[in-house]
Amino acid sequence: MAKNYLIITAIFFILAIISILVIYYSAKLKKLMLSKQETEVQNNNLLNINKELDKFVYSISHDLRSPIISVKGLVEIAQKEDNISQIKEYLNLMHQSLTQQDQFIRDIIDYSRNKRNQVCIESVSLNKLIDEAISQHQHIKEENPITITKNILADEIITDSLRLRIILNNLISNAVKYSDANKPFKHIAIKTHEKDSCYVMEIEDNGVGIKKDHLQKIFDMFFVTDNNMGSGLGLYIVKEAAEYLNGNIAVNSEKNIGTTFTVTLPKPKDFDFSKISTET
Ligand SMILES: Nc1ncnc2c1ncn2[C@@H]1O[C@H](COP(=O)(O)OP(=O)(O)O)[C@@H](O)[C@H]1O
Ligand SMILES: [Mg+2]
């Protein structure tokens, strides 16, 4: 009887040890599987980043070269030209090419700042940033200038000023760039307000508008409808910048009627407002 009892106890202990081992190894296996999945996700992310970098380097080297080639060609023709007004025309074309290249380099700087700089939250005046962005376009003197109106219902907001500046500069610059020369009244309306726990910014224009089948692509890196107008980096950077701030950007457009971009940024939660007022 005692022998049977011993055998049963031994079996019980062996079973208990086996079950503990099974539980231990299955937990370990589960952990390994999870970390394998995580590594795969990280690997895929790295592959995507690598692809994006490859595309980036290929496109920027090509796009940075083309204005240089064009300026070189113009210098060569201008050297053989005696007519002053013709030479002035060539100089204007060179100026256009260099301005385009300058804008492209600024886009690359924004791209890298947006990727590298940490999100730094502070109190920012939307009104001031909008005025700054508008003033950068006031040198464009035209016979039919664009009327820009502001309706600022949210001004001092808590966000990252670097990203907000990138967003506003790009959207306002696009609204100016893609205005419709054929319209007698060119108009841009910039509106800001608060909705629920978000800041909302709207940039509306009555410019050339965007075709329906292009709407999905405009936020892609290097997507342009007219190569001479820009690099195609702007909206890609704007979308990334909005996402860094946990926000989003939406577009509504109709060809030949106009375009509205709406940026929504959530208000940062648990933010110590008193700290800002003493620091700024
Ligand atoms: N306000 C706008 N009105 C019409 N088209 C626009 C507007 N903003 C952007 N687009 C279209 O989206 C494309 C991508 O914009 P973006 O990335 O800023 O590049 P870029 O300004 O360098 O051309 C532009 O080439 C243009 O076709
Ligand atoms: Mg642009």
Side-chain angles (χ1 to χ4, degrees):
M1 188 67 192
K3 201 177 161 194
N4 277 351
Y5 183 71
L6 262 178
I7 290 171
I8 289 170
T9 318
I11 290 173
F12 175 78
F13 273 111
I14 289 168
L15 281 176
I17 289 168
I18 290 173
S19 340
I20 289 169
L21 283 176
V22 166
I23 291 169
Y24 174 76
Y25 281 109
S26 66
K28 218 166 177 175
L29 199 71
K30 211 172 158 190
K31 222 172 159 184
L32 265 175
M33 297 284 276
L34 272 178
S35 79
K36 192 180 164 227
Q37 272 174 7
E38 270 170 24
T39 317
E40 270 170 14
V41 170
Q42 277 172 355
N43 228 1
N44 277 341
N45 283 347
L46 280 177
L47 280 175
N48 285 339
I49 292 171
N50 223 5
K51 248 192 215 163
E52 187 186 299
L53 262 180
D54 263 356
K55 195 176 163 196
F56 186 75
V57 171
Y58 173 81
S59 298
I60 55 167
S61 43
H62 177 265
D63 286 2
L64 280 177
R65 249 198 107 208
S66 59
I68 296 176
I69 293 169
S70 137
V71 169
K72 249 175 102 182
L74 286 164
V75 169
E76 278 161 21
I77 331 172
Q79 278 171 334
K80 292 179 197 141
E81 184 62 63
D82 294 323
N83 184 327
I84 292 290
S85 64
Q86 191 59 50
I87 291 176
K88 276 191 176 166
E89 181 58 31
Y90 293 142
L91 284 174
N92 276 339
L93 291 172
M94 286 180 213
H95 189 262
Q96 270 177 31
S97 282
L98 292 174
T99 309
Q100 191 190 339
Q101 190 169 28
D102 182 34
Q103 185 50 53
F104 189 39
I105 292 169
R106 281 167 199 247
D107 285 349
I108 297 168
I109 293 171
D110 275 353
Y111 171 88
S112 121
R113 275 193 190 143
N114 192 35
K115 285 243 187 256
R116 296 163 65 103
N117 288 34
Q118 277 198 337
V119 172
C120 173
I121 278 181
E122 58 193 319
S123 173
V124 189
S125 162
L126 263 174
N127 197 25
K128 210 171 128 205
L129 287 193
I130 289 167
D131 282 347
E132 260 178 45
I134 294 174
S135 70
Q136 287 178 19
H137 299 284
Q138 269 173 355
H139 61 277
I140 307 170
K141 293 226 163 42
E142 295 177 53
E143 279 174 32
N144 176 12
I146 306 172
T147 304
I148 303 181
T149 55
K150 289 187 301 175
N151 184 8
I152 313 289
L153 299 179
D155 182 12
E156 291 292 331
I157 72 167
I158 312 296
T159 191
D160 176 312
S161 65
L162 171 80
R163 266 89 188 182
L164 188 62
R165 189 175 272 121
I166 288 177
I167 293 171
L168 292 170
N169 278 351
N170 272 291
L171 294 181
I172 293 172
S173 136
N174 277 351
V176 171
K177 203 156 62 173
Y178 299 106
S179 66
D180 189 344
N182 297 322
K183 288 190 182 134
F185 177 67
K186 295 193 278 183
H187 182 236
I188 298 173
I190 303 166
K191 299 174 199 164
T192 71
H193 64 272
E194 289 182 27
K195 193 178 172 203
D196 305 326
S197 51
C198 292
Y199 307 117
V200 182
M201 285 146 249
E202 264 176 41
I203 287 99
E204 181 189 339
D205 65 61
N206 69 339
V208 294
I210 305 168
K211 271 195 205 161
K212 256 204 172 74
D213 46 334
H214 284 161
L215 273 179
Q216 295 302 317
K217 300 180 198 153
I218 56 169
F219 297 103
D220 290 353
M221 191 188 259
F222 300 120
F223 176 83
V224 285
T225 47
D226 177 356
N227 243 327
N228 291 324
M229 295 285 268
S231 65
L233 261 180
L235 286 179
Y236 173 85
I237 302 170
V238 167
K239 187 163 186 277
E240 260 205 352
E243 283 166 2
Y244 272 118
L245 303 176
N246 294 323
N248 61 64
I249 177 162
V251 60
N252 200 344
S253 185
E254 211 174 314
K255 192 76 195 144
N256 298 324
I257 304 288
T259 306
T260 305
F261 283 97
T262 308
V263 178
T264 309
L265 302 180
K267 292 181 189 172
K269 287 189 195 99
D270 305 325
F271 197 77
D272 187 356
F273 288 83
S274 59
K275 208 170 153 214
I276 297 171
S277 46
T278 52
E279 276 179 1
T280 51

PDB file of all heavy atoms in Angstrom, residues 234-248:
ATOM      1  N   GLY A 234       6.906  69.039 -51.158  1.00  0.00           N
ATOM      2  CA  GLY A 234       6.158  69.857 -50.207  1.00  0.00           C
ATOM      3  C   GLY A 234       5.064  69.126 -49.443  1.00  0.00           C
ATOM      4  O   GLY A 234       5.106  69.039 -48.213  1.00  0.00           O
ATOM      5  N   LEU A 235       4.088  68.572 -50.156  1.00  0.00           N
ATOM      6  CA  LEU A 235       2.947  67.968 -49.454  1.00  0.00           C
ATOM      7  C   LEU A 235       3.328  66.686 -48.728  1.00  0.00           C
ATOM      8  O   LEU A 235       2.719  66.338 -47.716  1.00  0.00           O
ATOM      9  CB  LEU A 235       1.803  67.698 -50.443  1.00  0.00           C
ATOM     10  CG  LEU A 235       1.048  68.944 -50.908  1.00  0.00           C
ATOM     11  CD1 LEU A 235      -0.048  68.569 -51.896  1.00  0.00           C
ATOM     12  CD2 LEU A 235       0.433  69.685 -49.723  1.00  0.00           C
ATOM     13  N   TYR A 236       4.355  65.996 -49.232  1.00  0.00           N
ATOM     14  CA  TYR A 236       4.838  64.797 -48.529  1.00  0.00           C
ATOM     15  C   TYR A 236       5.351  65.206 -47.140  1.00  0.00           C
ATOM     16  O   TYR A 236       5.027  64.576 -46.127  1.00  0.00           O
ATOM     17  CB  TYR A 236       5.964  64.152 -49.359  1.00  0.00           C
ATOM     18  CG  TYR A 236       6.650  63.012 -48.663  1.00  0.00           C
ATOM     19  CD1 TYR A 236       6.127  61.722 -48.732  1.00  0.00           C
ATOM     20  CD2 TYR A 236       7.811  63.212 -47.916  1.00  0.00           C
ATOM     21  CE1 TYR A 236       6.751  60.670 -48.076  1.00  0.00           C
ATOM     22  CE2 TYR A 236       8.434  62.175 -47.256  1.00  0.00           C
ATOM     23  CZ  TYR A 236       7.897  60.904 -47.341  1.00  0.00           C
ATOM     24  OH  TYR A 236       8.513  59.871 -46.680  1.00  0.00           O
ATOM     25  N   ILE A 237       6.126  66.318 -47.117  1.00  0.00           N
ATOM     26  CA  ILE A 237       6.684  66.800 -45.843  1.00  0.00           C
ATOM     27  C   ILE A 237       5.556  67.298 -44.934  1.00  0.00           C
ATOM     28  O   ILE A 237       5.541  67.027 -43.734  1.00  0.00           O
ATOM     29  CB  ILE A 237       7.708  67.935 -46.080  1.00  0.00           C
ATOM     30  CG1 ILE A 237       8.830  67.457 -46.993  1.00  0.00           C
ATOM     31  CG2 ILE A 237       8.277  68.447 -44.773  1.00  0.00           C
ATOM     32  CD1 ILE A 237       9.760  68.556 -47.468  1.00  0.00           C
ATOM     33  N   VAL A 238       4.578  68.002 -45.527  1.00  0.00           N
ATOM     34  CA  VAL A 238       3.452  68.543 -44.743  1.00  0.00           C
ATOM     35  C   VAL A 238       2.700  67.400 -44.058  1.00  0.00           C
ATOM     36  O   VAL A 238       2.385  67.472 -42.866  1.00  0.00           O
ATOM     37  CB  VAL A 238       2.493  69.341 -45.667  1.00  0.00           C
ATOM     38  CG1 VAL A 238       1.189  69.636 -44.961  1.00  0.00           C
ATOM     39  CG2 VAL A 238       3.149  70.632 -46.112  1.00  0.00           C
ATOM     40  N   LYS A 239       2.446  66.326 -44.807  1.00  0.00           N
ATOM     41  CA  LYS A 239       1.696  65.195 -44.247  1.00  0.00           C
ATOM     42  C   LYS A 239       2.496  64.565 -43.099  1.00  0.00           C
ATOM     43  O   LYS A 239       1.951  64.291 -42.027  1.00  0.00           O
ATOM     44  CB  LYS A 239       1.419  64.164 -45.336  1.00  0.00           C
ATOM     45  CG  LYS A 239       0.505  63.049 -44.914  1.00  0.00           C
ATOM     46  CD  LYS A 239      -0.055  62.326 -46.112  1.00  0.00           C
ATOM     47  CE  LYS A 239      -1.086  61.295 -45.726  1.00  0.00           C
ATOM     48  NZ  LYS A 239      -0.499  60.038 -45.324  1.00  0.00           N
ATOM     49  N   GLU A 240       3.800  64.395 -43.337  1.00  0.00           N
ATOM     50  CA  GLU A 240       4.648  63.803 -42.287  1.00  0.00           C
ATOM     51  C   GLU A 240       4.678  64.685 -41.047  1.00  0.00           C
ATOM     52  O   GLU A 240       4.584  64.192 -39.922  1.00  0.00           O
ATOM     53  CB  GLU A 240       6.072  63.636 -42.821  1.00  0.00           C
ATOM     54  CG  GLU A 240       6.380  62.245 -43.253  1.00  0.00           C
ATOM     55  CD  GLU A 240       7.868  61.953 -43.204  1.00  0.00           C
ATOM     56  OE1 GLU A 240       8.691  62.872 -42.972  1.00  0.00           O
ATOM     57  OE2 GLU A 240       8.215  60.800 -43.395  1.00  0.00           O
ATOM     58  N   ALA A 241       4.795  66.011 -41.288  1.00  0.00           N
ATOM     59  CA  ALA A 241       4.871  66.953 -40.164  1.00  0.00           C
ATOM     60  C   ALA A 241       3.579  66.889 -39.347  1.00  0.00           C
ATOM     61  O   ALA A 241       3.614  66.864 -38.114  1.00  0.00           O
ATOM     62  CB  ALA A 241       5.111  68.369 -40.674  1.00  0.00           C
ATOM     63  N   ALA A 242       2.429  66.830 -40.037  1.00  0.00           N
ATOM     64  CA  ALA A 242       1.141  66.761 -39.324  1.00  0.00           C
ATOM     65  C   ALA A 242       1.065  65.459 -38.526  1.00  0.00           C
ATOM     66  O   ALA A 242       0.576  65.439 -37.390  1.00  0.00           O
ATOM     67  CB  ALA A 242      -0.015  66.858 -40.310  1.00  0.00           C
ATOM     68  N   GLU A 243       1.583  64.368 -39.117  1.00  0.00           N
ATOM     69  CA  GLU A 243       1.534  63.077 -38.411  1.00  0.00           C
ATOM     70  C   GLU A 243       2.456  63.067 -37.186  1.00  0.00           C
ATOM     71  O   GLU A 243       2.140  62.457 -36.172  1.00  0.00           O
ATOM     72  CB  GLU A 243       1.862  61.932 -39.371  1.00  0.00           C
ATOM     73  CG  GLU A 243       0.666  61.615 -40.271  1.00  0.00           C
ATOM     74  CD  GLU A 243       0.988  60.731 -41.459  1.00  0.00           C
ATOM     75  OE1 GLU A 243       2.155  60.319 -41.594  1.00  0.00           O
ATOM     76  OE2 GLU A 243       0.065  60.485 -42.259  1.00  0.00           O
ATOM     77  N   TYR A 244       3.592  63.777 -37.275  1.00  0.00           N
ATOM     78  CA  TYR A 244       4.483  63.875 -36.108  1.00  0.00           C
ATOM     79  C   TYR A 244       3.748  64.532 -34.936  1.00  0.00           C
ATOM     80  O   TYR A 244       4.058  64.298 -33.784  1.00  0.00           O
ATOM     81  CB  TYR A 244       5.714  64.726 -36.424  1.00  0.00           C
ATOM     82  CG  TYR A 244       6.864  63.948 -37.008  1.00  0.00           C
ATOM     83  CD1 TYR A 244       7.338  64.220 -38.275  1.00  0.00           C
ATOM     84  CD2 TYR A 244       7.500  62.951 -36.275  1.00  0.00           C
ATOM     85  CE1 TYR A 244       8.400  63.513 -38.830  1.00  0.00           C
ATOM     86  CE2 TYR A 244       8.559  62.236 -36.811  1.00  0.00           C
ATOM     87  CZ  TYR A 244       9.006  62.526 -38.089  1.00  0.00           C
ATOM     88  OH  TYR A 244      10.041  61.821 -38.612  1.00  0.00           O
ATOM     89  N   LEU A 245       2.776  65.410 -35.272  1.00  0.00           N
ATOM     90  CA  LEU A 245       2.025  66.102 -34.222  1.00  0.00           C
ATOM     91  C   LEU A 245       0.720  65.378 -33.903  1.00  0.00           C
ATOM     92  O   LEU A 245      -0.207  65.962 -33.339  1.00  0.00           O
ATOM     93  CB  LEU A 245       1.742  67.546 -34.659  1.00  0.00           C
ATOM     94  CG  LEU A 245       2.981  68.381 -35.000  1.00  0.00           C
ATOM     95  CD1 LEU A 245       2.594  69.743 -35.517  1.00  0.00           C
ATOM     96  CD2 LEU A 245       3.877  68.532 -33.764  1.00  0.00           C
ATOM     97  N   ASN A 246       0.626  64.110 -34.347  1.00  0.00           N
ATOM     98  CA  ASN A 246      -0.563  63.275 -34.162  1.00  0.00           C
ATOM     99  C   ASN A 246      -1.794  63.851 -34.848  1.00  0.00           C
ATOM    100  O   ASN A 246      -2.923  63.565 -34.464  1.00  0.00           O
ATOM    101  CB  ASN A 246      -0.900  63.058 -32.676  1.00  0.00           C
ATOM    102  CG  ASN A 246       0.168  62.263 -32.000  1.00  0.00           C
ATOM    103  OD1 ASN A 246       0.733  61.355 -32.608  1.00  0.00           O
ATOM    104  ND2 ASN A 246       0.480  62.609 -30.771  1.00  0.00           N
ATOM    105  N   GLY A 247      -1.547  64.685 -35.860  1.00  0.00           N
ATOM    106  CA  GLY A 247      -2.672  65.292 -36.573  1.00  0.00           C
ATOM    107  C   GLY A 247      -2.834  64.690 -37.952  1.00  0.00           C
ATOM    108  O   GLY A 247      -2.251  63.657 -38.261  1.00  0.00           O
ATOM    109  N   ASN A 248      -3.660  65.345 -38.764  1.00  0.00           N
ATOM    110  CA  ASN A 248      -3.834  64.851 -40.136  1.00  0.00           C
ATOM    111  C   ASN A 248      -4.163  65.994 -41.086  1.00  0.00           C
ATOM    112  O   ASN A 248      -4.457  67.109 -40.650  1.00  0.00           O
ATOM    113  CB  ASN A 248      -4.912  63.765 -40.184  1.00  0.00           C
ATOM    114  CG  ASN A 248      -6.235  64.303 -39.738  1.00  0.00           C
ATOM    115  OD1 ASN A 248      -6.813  65.186 -40.382  1.00  0.00           O
ATOM    116  ND2 ASN A 248      -6.724  63.823 -38.599  1.00  0.00           N
TER     117      ASN A 248
END
